[in-house]
Amino acid sequence: MTKKLYIKTYGCQMNVYDSERMAEALEGYEQVQSPDGADMILLNTCHIREKAAEKVYSELGRYKDLKEAKPDLKIGVAGCVAQAEGEEIMRRQPMVDLVVGPQSYHRLPELEARAQAGEKALDTDFPEEDKFEKLKSRPKAQRGPTAFLTVQEGCDKFCAFCVVPYTRGAEVSRPVARVLAEAEDLVSRGVREITLLGQNVNAYHGEDGGETWGLARLIRRLAEIDELKRIRFTTSHPNDMEDDLVAAHGDCDKLMPYLHLPVQSGSDRILKRMNRKHTAASYIELVERIRAARPDLLLSGDFIVGFPEETEEDFQATLDLIERVNYGQAYSFKYSSRPGTPAAERPEVAAAEADDRLQRLQALITRQQRAAQDAMVGREVHVLIEKPGRLPGQMVGKSDHLHAVHVMSDSLAIGDLARVRITDSGPNSLAGTLL
Ligand code: 5AD
Ligand code: SF4
Protein backbone atom coordinates (compact mmCIF):
# COMPACT_ATOMS: atom_id res chain seq x y z
CA MET A 1 0.00 0.00 0.00
CA THR A 2 1.31 3.47 -0.78
CA LYS A 3 2.14 5.49 2.26
CA LYS A 4 1.41 9.16 2.65
CA LEU A 5 4.17 11.75 2.75
CA TYR A 6 3.60 15.32 3.90
CA ILE A 7 6.43 17.77 3.19
CA LYS A 8 6.40 21.30 4.54
CA THR A 9 8.87 23.55 2.73
CA TYR A 10 10.37 26.70 4.18
CA GLY A 11 12.68 29.29 2.64
CA CYS A 12 14.08 29.66 -0.81
CA GLN A 13 13.28 28.17 -4.21
CA MET A 14 16.18 25.77 -3.84
CA ASN A 15 14.26 24.16 -1.01
CA VAL A 16 11.20 23.91 -3.25
CA TYR A 17 13.32 22.04 -5.78
CA ASP A 18 14.90 19.84 -3.08
CA SER A 19 11.46 18.96 -1.70
CA GLU A 20 10.38 17.75 -5.14
CA ARG A 21 13.49 15.59 -5.41
CA MET A 22 13.06 14.21 -1.87
CA ALA A 23 9.43 13.27 -2.59
CA GLU A 24 10.58 11.49 -5.74
CA ALA A 25 13.38 9.72 -3.86
CA LEU A 26 11.03 8.19 -1.30
CA GLU A 27 9.61 5.25 -3.19
CA GLY A 28 6.34 3.81 -1.96
CA TYR A 29 5.05 7.19 -0.81
CA GLU A 30 2.60 9.57 -2.39
CA GLN A 31 2.72 13.24 -1.46
CA VAL A 32 -0.29 14.66 0.41
CA GLN A 33 -1.25 18.24 1.25
CA SER A 34 -1.99 17.83 4.95
CA PRO A 35 -0.11 16.25 7.88
CA ASP A 36 -3.30 14.56 9.11
CA GLY A 37 -3.16 10.87 8.32
CA ALA A 38 0.39 11.08 6.92
CA ASP A 39 2.83 8.20 7.47
CA MET A 40 5.79 10.51 7.25
CA ILE A 41 6.13 14.23 7.91
CA LEU A 42 9.22 15.96 6.56
CA LEU A 43 10.07 19.57 7.35
CA ASN A 44 12.41 21.03 4.75
CA THR A 45 13.82 23.91 6.74
CA CYS A 46 15.57 27.24 6.22
CA HIS A 47 18.17 28.76 8.53
CA ILE A 48 18.73 32.12 6.90
CA ARG A 49 16.97 34.43 9.33
CA GLU A 50 15.35 34.94 12.71
CA LYS A 51 14.84 32.15 15.16
CA ALA A 52 14.70 29.59 12.36
CA ALA A 53 15.49 26.69 14.68
CA GLU A 54 12.92 27.83 17.27
CA LYS A 55 10.24 27.89 14.58
CA VAL A 56 11.08 24.33 13.61
CA TYR A 57 10.86 23.15 17.23
CA SER A 58 7.49 24.78 17.70
CA GLU A 59 6.23 23.32 14.41
CA LEU A 60 7.40 19.88 15.58
CA GLY A 61 5.50 20.37 18.83
CA ARG A 62 2.31 20.65 16.80
CA TYR A 63 2.75 17.08 15.54
CA LYS A 64 2.81 15.57 19.02
CA ASP A 65 -0.87 14.57 18.94
CA LEU A 66 -0.49 13.02 15.50
CA LYS A 67 2.48 10.96 16.69
CA GLU A 68 0.62 9.82 19.80
CA ALA A 69 -2.40 8.81 17.75
CA LYS A 70 -0.20 6.98 15.26
CA PRO A 71 3.05 5.77 16.82
CA ASP A 72 4.54 4.55 13.52
CA LEU A 73 4.27 8.03 12.01
CA LYS A 74 7.86 9.02 11.09
CA ILE A 75 8.97 12.59 11.53
CA GLY A 76 11.97 13.99 9.69
CA VAL A 77 13.81 17.30 9.51
CA ALA A 78 15.69 18.20 6.33
CA GLY A 79 17.30 21.36 4.97
CA CYS A 80 19.55 23.99 6.50
CA VAL A 81 18.30 23.79 10.11
CA ALA A 82 18.94 20.04 9.98
CA GLN A 83 22.47 20.81 8.81
CA ALA A 84 23.10 23.47 11.45
CA GLU A 85 21.51 21.71 14.42
CA GLY A 86 22.23 18.05 13.60
CA GLU A 87 21.82 15.69 16.55
CA GLU A 88 20.63 18.51 18.76
CA ILE A 89 17.25 18.21 17.03
CA MET A 90 16.74 14.65 18.27
CA ARG A 91 17.95 15.58 21.74
CA ARG A 92 15.50 18.45 22.03
CA GLN A 93 12.64 16.79 20.22
CA PRO A 94 12.90 13.01 20.75
CA MET A 95 9.94 12.26 18.50
CA VAL A 96 12.10 13.17 15.48
CA ASP A 97 13.17 9.96 13.72
CA LEU A 98 15.24 11.33 10.89
CA VAL A 99 17.56 14.29 10.27
CA VAL A 100 19.06 14.88 6.83
CA GLY A 101 21.15 17.78 5.51
CA PRO A 102 20.80 19.43 2.08
CA GLN A 103 23.85 17.67 0.66
CA SER A 104 22.95 14.15 1.71
CA TYR A 105 19.26 13.70 0.93
CA HIS A 106 20.01 11.20 -1.85
CA ARG A 107 20.50 8.81 1.08
CA LEU A 108 16.92 9.39 2.18
CA PRO A 109 15.61 5.91 1.20
CA GLU A 110 18.28 4.29 3.37
CA LEU A 111 17.59 6.70 6.24
CA GLU A 112 13.87 6.07 5.94
CA ALA A 113 14.47 2.31 6.17
CA ARG A 114 16.51 2.82 9.33
CA ALA A 115 13.77 5.00 10.80
CA GLN A 116 11.22 2.29 9.94
CA ALA A 117 13.41 -0.21 11.83
CA GLY A 118 13.09 1.99 14.90
CA GLU A 119 16.52 3.62 14.72
CA LYS A 120 17.30 7.30 14.88
CA ALA A 121 18.64 8.13 11.41
CA LEU A 122 20.96 11.11 10.99
CA ASP A 123 23.04 12.25 8.03
CA THR A 124 24.53 15.73 7.80
CA ASP A 125 27.62 14.84 5.76
CA PHE A 126 28.98 16.79 2.85
CA PRO A 127 29.65 13.66 0.80
CA GLU A 128 32.13 13.48 -2.08
CA GLU A 129 29.56 12.00 -4.43
CA ASP A 130 27.12 14.17 -6.39
CA LYS A 131 23.69 13.69 -4.84
CA PHE A 132 21.99 14.48 -8.15
CA GLU A 133 23.76 11.51 -9.71
CA LYS A 134 22.73 9.20 -6.91
CA LEU A 135 19.10 10.29 -6.87
CA LYS A 136 16.80 8.13 -8.89
CA SER A 137 15.85 9.54 -12.27
CA ARG A 138 12.90 11.89 -12.32
CA PRO A 139 9.40 10.52 -13.06
CA LYS A 140 7.85 10.97 -16.49
CA ALA A 141 4.48 12.40 -15.45
CA GLN A 142 3.18 15.58 -17.11
CA ARG A 143 3.74 18.68 -15.04
CA GLY A 144 2.88 22.37 -14.94
CA PRO A 145 4.41 24.92 -17.32
CA THR A 146 7.06 26.29 -14.92
CA ALA A 147 9.85 24.49 -13.12
CA PHE A 148 12.92 25.15 -11.03
CA LEU A 149 16.18 23.48 -11.95
CA THR A 150 19.13 23.60 -9.54
CA VAL A 151 22.38 24.05 -11.48
CA GLN A 152 24.67 25.29 -8.72
CA GLU A 153 24.75 24.98 -4.96
CA GLY A 154 26.65 26.42 -2.08
CA CYS A 155 28.58 29.64 -1.75
CA ASP A 156 32.20 30.71 -1.30
CA LYS A 157 31.48 34.38 -0.72
CA PHE A 158 31.18 34.39 3.07
CA CYS A 159 29.17 37.56 3.49
CA ALA A 160 29.63 38.34 7.19
CA PHE A 161 25.93 37.84 8.06
CA CYS A 162 25.16 34.69 6.11
CA VAL A 163 24.92 31.01 7.12
CA VAL A 164 24.73 29.64 3.58
CA PRO A 165 28.45 28.87 3.18
CA TYR A 166 28.19 26.78 6.36
CA THR A 167 24.86 25.02 5.78
CA ARG A 168 25.05 24.45 2.02
CA GLY A 169 28.81 24.17 1.79
CA ALA A 170 31.25 25.20 -0.92
CA GLU A 171 30.21 26.30 -4.36
CA VAL A 172 29.57 23.37 -6.72
CA SER A 173 28.18 23.43 -10.27
CA ARG A 174 26.39 20.52 -11.93
CA PRO A 175 27.94 19.32 -15.20
CA VAL A 176 26.47 20.81 -18.40
CA ALA A 177 25.27 17.50 -19.87
CA ARG A 178 23.24 16.68 -16.75
CA VAL A 179 21.61 20.09 -16.64
CA LEU A 180 20.71 19.83 -20.32
CA ALA A 181 19.30 16.33 -19.90
CA GLU A 182 17.17 17.43 -16.96
CA ALA A 183 15.94 20.49 -18.87
CA GLU A 184 15.03 18.38 -21.95
CA ASP A 185 13.20 15.99 -19.68
CA LEU A 186 11.24 18.78 -17.98
CA VAL A 187 10.29 20.24 -21.37
CA SER A 188 9.10 16.84 -22.61
CA ARG A 189 6.79 16.78 -19.57
CA GLY A 190 5.14 20.07 -20.43
CA VAL A 191 7.47 22.66 -18.88
CA ARG A 192 7.76 25.90 -20.89
CA GLU A 193 9.68 28.08 -18.43
CA ILE A 194 12.72 27.05 -16.42
CA THR A 195 14.25 29.04 -13.58
CA LEU A 196 17.86 28.03 -13.07
CA LEU A 197 18.68 28.00 -9.37
CA GLY A 198 21.77 28.41 -7.28
CA GLN A 199 22.77 30.29 -4.13
CA ASN A 200 25.20 32.02 -6.44
CA VAL A 201 23.85 30.93 -9.78
CA ASN A 202 25.77 33.40 -11.90
CA ALA A 203 29.02 31.90 -10.62
CA TYR A 204 28.00 28.72 -12.49
CA HIS A 205 31.01 26.97 -13.99
CA GLY A 206 29.86 23.61 -15.28
CA GLU A 207 32.17 21.02 -16.82
CA ASP A 208 31.66 19.79 -20.34
CA GLY A 209 34.26 17.45 -21.82
CA GLY A 210 37.19 19.31 -20.28
CA GLU A 211 35.72 22.75 -20.98
CA THR A 212 34.10 25.00 -18.42
CA TRP A 213 30.84 26.73 -19.27
CA GLY A 214 29.64 29.93 -17.64
CA LEU A 215 25.97 30.67 -17.03
CA ALA A 216 25.54 32.70 -20.23
CA ARG A 217 26.72 29.83 -22.39
CA LEU A 218 24.40 27.46 -20.56
CA ILE A 219 21.46 29.82 -21.08
CA ARG A 220 22.22 30.21 -24.79
CA ARG A 221 22.36 26.43 -25.18
CA LEU A 222 19.09 25.94 -23.27
CA ALA A 223 17.48 28.56 -25.52
CA GLU A 224 18.02 26.13 -28.42
CA ILE A 225 15.41 23.78 -26.93
CA ASP A 226 12.50 24.67 -29.19
CA GLU A 227 9.60 24.12 -26.82
CA LEU A 228 11.30 25.88 -23.94
CA LYS A 229 9.96 29.43 -24.18
CA ARG A 230 11.42 31.22 -21.17
CA ILE A 231 14.55 31.12 -19.05
CA ARG A 232 15.18 32.84 -15.72
CA PHE A 233 17.88 32.49 -13.08
CA THR A 234 18.28 33.34 -9.42
CA THR A 235 20.12 34.35 -7.14
CA SER A 236 23.11 36.32 -8.35
CA HIS A 237 26.07 38.11 -6.78
CA PRO A 238 27.06 41.39 -8.49
CA ASN A 239 30.72 40.35 -8.72
CA ASP A 240 29.88 37.27 -10.81
CA MET A 241 27.88 39.17 -13.42
CA GLU A 242 30.23 38.58 -16.34
CA ASP A 243 30.14 40.50 -19.63
CA ASP A 244 28.70 37.55 -21.54
CA LEU A 245 25.80 37.28 -19.09
CA VAL A 246 25.14 41.02 -19.34
CA ALA A 247 25.16 40.64 -23.14
CA ALA A 248 22.76 37.68 -22.98
CA HIS A 249 20.16 39.96 -21.43
CA GLY A 250 20.26 41.93 -24.66
CA ASP A 251 20.56 39.23 -27.30
CA CYS A 252 18.89 36.11 -25.93
CA ASP A 253 15.13 36.47 -26.50
CA LYS A 254 14.21 33.63 -24.20
CA LEU A 255 16.07 35.12 -21.25
CA MET A 256 13.38 37.12 -19.42
CA PRO A 257 13.84 40.83 -18.61
CA TYR A 258 13.87 40.29 -14.85
CA LEU A 259 16.95 40.11 -12.68
CA HIS A 260 17.30 39.50 -8.97
CA LEU A 261 20.56 41.16 -8.01
CA PRO A 262 20.95 41.65 -4.25
CA VAL A 263 23.06 44.57 -3.03
CA GLN A 264 22.21 44.38 0.73
CA SER A 265 23.30 47.96 1.53
CA GLY A 266 24.10 51.24 -0.20
CA SER A 267 26.83 52.26 2.27
CA ASP A 268 30.39 51.39 1.27
CA ARG A 269 31.41 51.28 4.93
CA ILE A 270 28.73 48.66 5.67
CA LEU A 271 29.34 46.77 2.41
CA LYS A 272 32.96 46.43 3.48
CA ARG A 273 31.97 45.14 6.90
CA MET A 274 29.55 42.77 5.23
CA ASN A 275 32.49 41.43 3.18
CA ARG A 276 30.50 42.01 0.00
CA LYS A 277 33.58 42.94 -2.06
CA HIS A 278 31.74 45.53 -4.15
CA THR A 279 30.81 49.16 -3.65
CA ALA A 280 27.57 51.05 -4.16
CA ALA A 281 29.09 52.75 -7.21
CA SER A 282 30.29 49.49 -8.78
CA TYR A 283 26.80 48.03 -8.31
CA ILE A 284 25.13 51.05 -9.92
CA GLU A 285 27.58 50.95 -12.80
CA LEU A 286 26.77 47.25 -13.31
CA VAL A 287 23.03 47.94 -13.27
CA GLU A 288 23.55 50.65 -15.90
CA ARG A 289 25.42 48.20 -18.13
CA ILE A 290 22.69 45.57 -17.84
CA ARG A 291 20.02 48.17 -18.55
CA ALA A 292 21.97 49.35 -21.58
CA ALA A 293 21.73 45.77 -22.87
CA ARG A 294 18.07 45.39 -21.89
CA PRO A 295 16.36 48.75 -21.28
CA ASP A 296 13.08 47.32 -19.96
CA LEU A 297 14.79 45.08 -17.38
CA LEU A 298 12.87 44.82 -14.11
CA LEU A 299 15.35 44.76 -11.29
CA SER A 300 14.81 43.02 -7.97
CA GLY A 301 17.03 43.16 -4.89
CA ASP A 302 17.64 42.08 -1.30
CA PHE A 303 18.35 44.53 1.52
CA ILE A 304 19.42 44.10 5.11
CA VAL A 305 18.74 46.96 7.53
CA GLY A 306 20.24 47.28 10.99
CA PHE A 307 23.44 45.42 10.18
CA PRO A 308 25.81 45.81 13.19
CA GLU A 309 27.10 49.38 13.47
CA GLU A 310 24.83 50.70 10.70
CA THR A 311 24.29 54.43 11.35
CA GLU A 312 21.47 56.64 10.13
CA GLU A 313 23.91 57.98 7.55
CA ASP A 314 24.69 54.47 6.29
CA PHE A 315 20.98 53.76 6.08
CA GLN A 316 20.43 56.99 4.17
CA ALA A 317 23.01 55.78 1.64
CA THR A 318 20.88 52.65 1.13
CA LEU A 319 17.79 54.77 0.49
CA ASP A 320 19.84 56.88 -1.96
CA LEU A 321 20.95 53.77 -3.81
CA ILE A 322 17.35 52.55 -4.05
CA GLU A 323 16.30 55.94 -5.45
CA ARG A 324 19.10 55.74 -8.00
CA VAL A 325 18.50 52.17 -9.11
CA ASN A 326 14.69 52.10 -9.04
CA TYR A 327 13.58 48.56 -8.23
CA GLY A 328 10.53 46.81 -9.63
CA GLN A 329 10.57 44.36 -6.74
CA ALA A 330 12.64 43.81 -3.59
CA TYR A 331 12.95 41.80 -0.42
CA SER A 332 14.09 43.53 2.74
CA PHE A 333 15.03 42.10 6.07
CA LYS A 334 15.98 43.24 9.51
CA TYR A 335 19.44 41.95 10.32
CA SER A 336 19.29 38.79 12.38
CA SER A 337 22.39 37.47 14.08
CA ARG A 338 23.28 33.96 12.91
CA PRO A 339 25.45 31.92 15.28
CA GLY A 340 28.86 31.11 13.81
CA THR A 341 28.96 34.01 11.33
CA PRO A 342 31.52 36.84 11.77
CA ALA A 343 28.85 39.53 12.20
CA ALA A 344 27.34 37.66 15.15
CA GLU A 345 30.25 38.90 17.28
CA ARG A 346 29.52 42.58 16.67
CA PRO A 347 27.40 45.12 18.55
CA GLU A 348 23.84 45.25 17.25
CA VAL A 349 21.67 48.20 16.28
CA ALA A 350 18.77 48.80 18.70
CA ALA A 351 15.72 46.80 17.62
CA ALA A 352 13.41 49.84 17.54
CA GLU A 353 15.84 51.70 15.29
CA ALA A 354 16.12 48.71 12.93
CA ASP A 355 12.32 48.37 12.83
CA ASP A 356 11.96 52.01 11.94
CA ARG A 357 14.52 51.72 9.13
CA LEU A 358 12.85 48.63 7.77
CA GLN A 359 9.52 50.45 7.58
CA ARG A 360 11.02 53.43 5.82
CA LEU A 361 12.86 51.24 3.34
CA GLN A 362 9.78 49.15 2.64
CA ALA A 363 7.66 52.24 2.04
CA LEU A 364 10.12 53.39 -0.63
CA ILE A 365 10.32 49.95 -2.24
CA THR A 366 6.53 49.61 -2.26
CA ARG A 367 6.25 52.94 -4.09
CA GLN A 368 8.75 51.82 -6.73
CA GLN A 369 7.17 48.40 -7.09
CA ARG A 370 3.74 49.95 -7.53
CA ALA A 371 5.02 52.43 -10.13
CA ALA A 372 6.71 49.62 -12.12
CA GLN A 373 3.50 47.60 -12.09
CA ASP A 374 1.27 50.57 -12.98
CA ALA A 375 3.59 51.43 -15.87
CA MET A 376 2.55 48.16 -17.53
CA VAL A 377 -1.00 49.45 -18.16
CA GLY A 378 -1.57 49.91 -21.89
CA ARG A 379 1.37 47.69 -22.81
CA GLU A 380 1.23 44.47 -24.77
CA VAL A 381 2.84 41.61 -22.84
CA HIS A 382 3.27 37.87 -23.07
CA VAL A 383 1.67 35.80 -20.33
CA LEU A 384 2.50 32.17 -19.65
CA ILE A 385 -0.80 30.73 -18.43
CA GLU A 386 -0.33 28.77 -15.19
CA LYS A 387 -3.79 28.10 -13.74
CA PRO A 388 -7.48 29.07 -13.73
CA GLY A 389 -8.33 32.24 -11.81
CA ARG A 390 -10.97 32.61 -9.12
CA LEU A 391 -13.65 33.90 -11.50
CA PRO A 392 -15.31 31.64 -14.08
CA GLY A 393 -13.55 31.93 -17.44
CA GLN A 394 -10.53 33.63 -15.89
CA MET A 395 -6.95 32.41 -16.31
CA VAL A 396 -3.81 33.54 -14.46
CA GLY A 397 -0.20 33.55 -15.50
CA LYS A 398 3.03 35.52 -15.33
CA SER A 399 4.29 38.20 -17.66
CA ASP A 400 7.88 38.36 -18.90
CA HIS A 401 8.52 40.77 -16.00
CA LEU A 402 7.08 38.23 -13.54
CA HIS A 403 3.91 40.20 -12.80
CA ALA A 404 0.85 38.06 -12.14
CA VAL A 405 -1.71 38.76 -14.89
CA HIS A 406 -5.43 37.84 -14.94
CA VAL A 407 -7.03 37.31 -18.35
CA MET A 408 -10.68 36.53 -19.21
CA SER A 409 -10.84 33.89 -21.92
CA ASP A 410 -12.49 30.56 -22.59
CA SER A 411 -9.95 29.60 -25.23
CA LEU A 412 -6.76 29.70 -23.15
CA ALA A 413 -5.16 26.55 -21.77
CA ILE A 414 -2.51 26.04 -19.10
CA GLY A 415 0.91 26.29 -20.75
CA ASP A 416 -0.22 28.75 -23.48
CA LEU A 417 1.91 31.81 -24.06
CA ALA A 418 -0.75 34.46 -24.62
CA ARG A 419 -0.44 37.96 -26.05
CA VAL A 420 -2.28 40.26 -23.70
CA ARG A 421 -3.00 43.99 -23.53
CA ILE A 422 -2.76 45.21 -19.92
CA THR A 423 -5.84 47.20 -18.90
CA ASP A 424 -5.62 47.41 -15.10
CA SER A 425 -3.16 47.37 -12.24
CA GLY A 426 -4.53 46.03 -8.94
CA PRO A 427 -2.86 45.68 -5.52
CA ASN A 428 -0.94 42.50 -6.35
CA SER A 429 -1.60 41.75 -9.98
CA LEU A 430 -2.41 43.08 -13.42
CA ALA A 431 -5.45 42.41 -15.59
CA GLY A 432 -5.56 42.35 -19.34
CA THR A 433 -7.43 41.32 -22.47
CA LEU A 434 -6.36 38.66 -24.90
CA LEU A 435 -5.08 39.97 -28.25
N1 5AD B 1 19.91 38.61 8.58
C1 5AD B 1 19.02 39.22 7.75
N2 5AD B 1 18.93 38.93 6.44
C2 5AD B 1 19.74 37.99 5.95
N3 5AD B 1 19.89 37.49 4.71
C3 5AD B 1 20.85 36.54 4.74
N4 5AD B 1 21.34 36.41 5.98
C4 5AD B 1 20.68 37.30 6.75
C5 5AD B 1 20.75 37.66 8.12
N5 5AD B 1 21.62 37.09 8.95
C6 5AD B 1 19.12 37.97 3.55
C7 5AD B 1 20.05 38.57 2.50
C8 5AD B 1 20.05 37.54 1.42
C9 5AD B 1 18.66 36.94 1.56
C10 5AD B 1 18.48 35.62 0.94
O1 5AD B 1 18.46 36.88 2.95
O2 5AD B 1 19.45 39.78 2.04
O3 5AD B 1 20.29 38.07 0.13
FE1 SF4 C 1 25.04 34.33 1.65
FE2 SF4 C 1 26.57 36.24 0.54
FE3 SF4 C 1 26.72 33.71 -0.38
FE4 SF4 C 1 24.51 35.19 -0.84
S1 SF4 C 1 26.59 35.63 -1.63
S2 SF4 C 1 24.58 33.02 -0.13
S3 SF4 C 1 24.35 36.39 1.03
S4 SF4 C 1 27.32 34.41 1.67
Side-chain angles (χ1 to χ4, degrees):
M1 205 184 71
T2 21
K3 294 184 185 171
K4 294 190 167 71
L5 168 68
Y6 172 70
I7 304 188
K8 180 159 178 167
T9 307
Y10 299 80
C12 65
Q13 289 132 327
M14 302 204 52
N15 269 9
V16 175
Y17 178 85
D18 288 343
S19 289
E20 272 180 27
R21 302 294 309 246
M22 287 195 279
E24 292 166 8
L26 283 168
E27 252 169 301
Y29 283 87
E30 60 161 336
Q31 216 175 331
V32 293
Q33 299 311 314
S34 155
D36 302 315
D39 299 284
M40 167 125 124
I41 295 175
L42 198 57
L43 302 183
N44 191 10
T45 61
C46 169
H47 201 236
I48 198 112
R49 283 178 296 272
E50 299 228 66
K51 305 191 185 86
E54 293 314 312
K55 281 187 198 152
V56 171
Y57 288 117
S58 78
E59 180 72 19
L60 287 168
R62 294 170 49 190
Y63 299 135
K64 198 160 163 264
D65 292 348
L66 290 176
K67 182 94 174 181
E68 274 166 13
K70 183 174 181 172
D72 45 347
L73 164 66
K74 299 298 169 204
I75 297 183
V77 180
C80 293
V81 174
Q83 190 63 45
E85 295 274 294
E87 264 178 286
E88 177 65 15
I89 296 181
M90 285 158 169
R91 254 198 304 275
R92 271 189 63 178
Q93 192 46 273
M95 72 181 187
V96 171
D97 304 284
L98 185 159
V99 171
V100 64
Q103 298 310 351
S104 43
Y105 68 74
H106 53 296
R107 297 174 180 162
L108 206 46
E110 186 195 317
L111 295 164
E112 190 266 349
R114 280 171 49 203
Q116 291 299 345
E119 284 176 49
K120 294 282 180 198
L122 171 97
D123 192 337
T124 50
D125 284 355
F126 287 103
E128 281 292 308
E129 74 263 18
D130 175 357
K131 69 169 175 265
F132 297 113
E133 271 314 275
K134 301 284 168 184
L135 282 164
K136 86 185 171 74
S137 56
R138 306 203 69 175
K140 294 291 163 226
Q142 267 309 103
R143 47 180 299 161
T146 65
F148 294 133
L149 171 46
T150 294
V151 300
Q152 179 278 333
E153 274 193 286
C155 184
D156 296 341
K157 294 280 188 291
F158 291 92
C159 295
F161 50 81
C162 187
V163 285
V164 166
Y166 312 95
T167 58
R168 288 269 171 173
E171 214 175 278
V172 180
S173 295
R174 295 178 67 191
V176 173
R178 305 216 181 111
V179 173
L180 294 179
E182 192 167 332
E184 299 266 9
D185 178 62
L186 288 168
V187 171
S188 75
R189 293 164 59 199
V191 169
R192 297 292 169 263
E193 170 179 313
I194 291 180
T195 302
L196 304 174
L197 298 181
Q199 262 92 29
N200 228 320
V201 73
N202 61 343
Y204 179 80
H205 54 280
E207 285 301 310
D208 186 56
E211 268 191 283
T212 305
W213 288 35
L215 188 66
R217 187 165 176 196
L218 183 70
I219 288 169
R220 290 181 204 282
R221 174 63 188 81
L222 286 168
E224 289 171 14
I225 303 176
D226 205 33
E227 283 180 283
L228 180 63
K229 303 297 180 200
R230 290 172 157 186
I231 303 166
R232 306 180 188 275
F233 61 90
T234 198
T235 285
S236 297
H237 190 287
N239 291 7
D240 291 316
M241 206 68 206
E242 284 170 3
D243 290 348
D244 195 17
L245 190 54
V246 173
H249 279 279
D251 62 34
C252 180
D253 291 345
K254 290 185 180 179
L255 181 58
M256 292 292 101
Y258 180 103
L259 179 64
H260 184 62
L261 195 64
V263 64
Q264 315 295 357
S265 167
S267 154
D268 287 343
R269 199 179 72 92
I270 294 296
L271 286 169
K272 196 161 182 126
R273 290 179 191 218
M274 285 178 164
N275 192 31
R276 289 287 297 181
K277 302 193 176 83
H278 60 75
T279 62
S282 70
Y283 178 85
I284 289 169
E285 185 270 333
L286 171 61
V287 166
E288 280 166 0
R289 276 196 294 127
I290 308 166
R291 283 201 171 129
R294 183 76 203 226
D296 71 337
L297 185 90
L298 191 145
L299 204 76
S300 160
D302 284 346
F303 297 91
I304 296 178
V305 302
F307 185 76
E309 298 162 71
E310 182 189 70
T311 63
E312 178 59 29
E313 198 185 342
D314 293 318
F315 175 66
Q316 197 56 52
T318 302
L319 295 181
D320 292 347
L321 178 138
I322 295 172
E323 293 279 9
R324 264 300 282 282
V325 169
N326 193 14
Y327 289 87
Q329 161 76 39
Y331 304 89
S332 47
F333 314 100
K334 200 164 75 161
Y335 169 72
S336 140
S337 163
R338 308 280 70 209
T341 60
E345 313 294 320
R346 305 183 195 158
E348 287 196 29
V349 170
E353 188 61 48
D355 283 329
D356 178 63
R357 288 178 194 166
L358 186 63
Q359 274 188 20
R360 285 151 64 202
L361 187 145
Q362 285 181 341
L364 174 58
I365 292 287
T366 305
R367 259 200 325 277
Q368 294 189 344
Q369 196 171 334
R370 190 74 233 176
Q373 197 190 295
D374 292 349
M376 302 309 291
V377 176
R379 280 178 64 173
E380 183 188 320
V381 303
H382 286 97
V383 179
L384 180 61
I385 302 297
E386 288 178 16
K387 58 185 180 198
R390 267 179 292 116
L391 306 176
Q394 191 187 48
M395 299 298 270
V396 193
K398 296 274 168 51
S399 72
D400 291 355
H401 293 93
L402 214 53
H403 288 122
V405 182
H406 290 79
V407 194
M408 296 302 289
S409 159
D410 39 25
S411 60
L412 282 175
I414 290 170
D416 285 353
L417 197 56
R419 272 178 59 224
V420 172
R421 168 92 54 210
I422 301 299
T423 51
D424 272 302
S425 175
N428 299 306
S429 64
L430 296 166
T433 50
L434 194 59
L435 290 173

